[in-house]
Structure formats: C-alpha cells, structure tokens
Amino acid sequence: QSKGSGRNTFNFYSDYLQHKSHRELSLQKDLHAAITQSQLFLDYQPVIRLSDGKIIALEALVRWQHPEKGILTPEHFINIAEFNGFVELVDMWVIRHICRDIKTLLSHQFPLRISMNCSALNINNDRFIPEAERILQEENIDRQWFCFELSEAVLYEHRHKAPLFLGKLMQSNIRLIVDDFGSSASSLLWLKTLPICELKLDRCLLLDPSNHSDHEIIAALIAMSHKLGWLVTAKGVELQEQISLLQDEHCDFAQGYAFGKPMRFNEVLMRLRGES
Ligand code: C2E
Ligand code: MG
Ligand code: MG
C-alpha cells in the first residue's frame, strides 16, 4: 500500500514536472519571438505626490501580449527569461521604450520621471550598465527622467556586488529606488552605506492600517528615512484609510489602485491632460 502510494506520488510529481517543463519550454520558444516581434508592451502606474495629489512619476511594468495565452504579467515570464539568458534583452527593450515615452511626455510638457524594475541578474552582469547608458545616450535622455528599481531583498542577497553596481550607476548619473523596503532582513546600517535617495515601502506594511503597531512601524520608517535624506513612496495603496495615515506621517509619494492601476501609455496621457 505505502509502496503503491509512493509510486503514485512519484508519478504525479514527474507528470507535474513534465507538464511544467513542457509549458515553460513552449513559453521559452515564444519569448524569443515575443521580443523580436514586438509582443511585449509596457503598462505604467502613476506615482502621486501626497501633498497635492499630482502625478509626479510613473513605474513601467512589462507585459507580454501572447498570441494564444493573452496578456501575461512578469511573474509568468521574467523567471523564464532570466533562466534562458533573455532577461537582458527584455530589460534593454524596456529601457528603449521608456526613453521614447519620456520624450513623448516631455513634448507634451509633462515632466515625469519613469522608473523601471531591473532584474536581479543584472547586478552581476557587467554589460548591463554600459548597455543601459548607451541606450540613454542614443535616445538623448536627461538622467533626471529615468531611474531603476531594485528590491531591498535582491540588493541584500547580492550585498557583496551591490556597492560596486550602485557605484557604477552613480557614475553614470542613474538613480536607484530601493523597492519593497521593509520586507527583508537587511540592516539599516548597511543600507545607509549605499548611494540611494529613495525608497518604496513594501505593500505588506500597509495591509492593516487600523493596527496600532503597524501604524507605529510605518511612522518610524518614514521618519527615519527622512532623517537619512531619503524620499519615501508607499506602494499598494488601496484604501482611503491608508492614504490618511500616510499623509499624517508625511510620506512623500504613493502608488496603488487607489490612485490608478497600471495602464497603457495613452491612458496616462489622457489622465495627465485631465489634470492640467
Ligand atoms: P513590483 O516592482 O513590486 O511592482 C508592483 C506590482 O504590484 C505590479 O505587479 C503592480 O501591478 C502591482 N500593484 C500596483 N498597485 C497595486 C495595489 O494597489 N494593490 C495590489 N495588490 N497590487 C498592486 P506586476 O505588474 O505584475 O509586476 C510584478 C513584478 O514584476 C514587479 O514587482 C517587478 O519586480 C517585476 N517587473 C515588472 N516589470 C518588469 C521589467 O520590465 N523588468 C523586470 N526585470 N522585472 C519587471
Ligand atoms: Mg517596482
Ligand atoms: Mg515586488
């Protein structure tokens, strides 16, 4: 009996693996086509200044319009891209498209910064910053309109390489936002040694705005960040309660469904026109 069920479990597991690898294999093949046949596109989520509700920045979020599977979000393909060495191509595609959208924004008198999420693998990729820089130069983009995001957990995981990576970014005048701050075990003493100027508070910190101790933690993190000279954006803001809390604690910026879901570039332009 136990032998039998063990065998079933094994069969089940190997079927699962086969199924999974089959699915991933086909996505792998498709992904190369996606990059070359422009099936990738960007959504943008607005970042709002809490003092006046104005949109001051956008976060670019890559999507894949798959010919059969519909729209895929990054969790469905970034890992595969990383595993297959395509992620550099994806990230370069993203930078190139952000540059074009920055130029469109500026030509409409909307001076907004666009940030992009950079794959963890690029910390160890010596080609990454020079390539990014080459694109920014070719597209003639002032560095104040562009920046990268990397999660605190990723920075800490690569802590031996992170100072060098950030140093090179700084030399290239490219700013970095520490994403998902407060969700990992990295130490503040360590973060303080890095050339960063902005943090995004992790969504999980805001999940229960009525909880008194959560409130105290958020207040302390914001106050401390300001003491260290860092600007703070709150992520995943969905409720009016959360907005009030963040305003009370002088959080600088916020993004989340309360202010707008990720949307196509044209929708962003429409919103900006409505605002001005
Ligand atoms: P992230 O940087 O933490 O991005 C925020 C994610 O939260 C986005 O998911 C966004 O759609 C979602 N979100 C925004 N507001 C809310 C809210 O109010 N509530 C909730 N529940 N969720 C909200 P998305 O677009 O699926 O992106 C997931 C992750 O994929 C990103 O996490 C980022 O790490 C990665 N990613 C996105 N674009 C790129 C890219 O161009 N290159 C690379 N390498 N990674 C990317
Ligand atoms: Mg991000
Ligand atoms: Mg995240």
Side-chain angles (χ1 to χ4, degrees), residues 101-113:
D101 291 340
I102 289 174
K103 285 192 272 195
T104 305
L105 286 169
L106 290 174
S107 74
H108 288 86
Q109 326 294 330
F110 298 129
L112 302 189
R113 177 195 74 195

Side-chain angles (χ1 to χ4, degrees), residues 59-61 115-118 149-150 179-180 200 235 255:
E59 177 174 2
L61 297 157
S115 63
M116 77 168 265
N117 297 284
C118 142
E149 298 188 8
L150 261 177
D179 207 351
D180 300 327
K200 284 196 181 181
K235 279 176 62 169
Q255 77 185 90

Side-chain angles (χ1 to χ4, degrees), residues 88 92 120-130 161 165:
E88 190 185 331
M92 292 308 152
L121 291 189
N122 286 323
I123 294 187
N124 292 305
N125 176 357
D126 291 332
R127 277 191 313 266
F128 183 71
I129 296 176
K161 199 70 192 270
F165 182 81

Side-chain angles (χ1 to χ4, degrees), residues 14 50 59 158 204:
S14 74
L50 282 161
E59 177 174 2
H158 298 270
C204 67

Side-chain angles (χ1 to χ4, degrees), residues 205 208-220 245 248-249:
L205 293 169
D208 188 4
S210 57
N211 181 310
H212 184 68
S213 63
D214 287 9
H215 187 140
E216 295 297 309
I217 289 173
I218 293 167
L245 184 163
D248 288 349
E249 301 308 334

